[in-house]
Amino acid sequence: VQLVESGGGLVQAGGSLRLSCVDSRRTFSRSAMGWFRQAPGKEREFVAFIGWSGDATDYSDSVKGRFTISRDNSKNTMYLQMNSLEPEDTAVYYCAAAIFQRGGSYGGNYWGQGTQVTVSS
């Protein structure tokens, strides 16, 4: 197992959670990373991207201004701080490594097992 997410759980609308992703690969510090999510009955969607140094970030419109992606290369760990959570944010959140862009969409070469985030109204 190379990518392990944690930090999911049940939270009320308006609350916050911080997800973590520990990457055991040696190439973490040189990898672009990202978060994706999949809600029941829906396709997996892009949430956030961060470049290898942490200087470049990108977010989906649905989370911009509420979520913050970050990384600590000394700990091989990526984070997703989620504030002002909404019931629509309920999904399984996946960590992805070696992010690429193809046809205007983000994808990843390595994936974690996912962590459930449930936001109650």
Side-chain angles (χ1 to χ4, degrees), residues 19 23 37 56 66 80 82 91 104 107 111 118:
L19 306 183
D23 184 349
R37 67 186 183 186
R66 300 187 298 120
L80 185 68
M82 305 186 295
W111 296 88
T118 303

Side-chain angles (χ1 to χ4, degrees), residues 40-54:
K42 295 187 177 181
E43 292 187 352
R44 187 172 59 196
E45 64 174 358
F46 166 75
V47 175
F49 158 90
I50 188 166
W52 66 270
S53 69

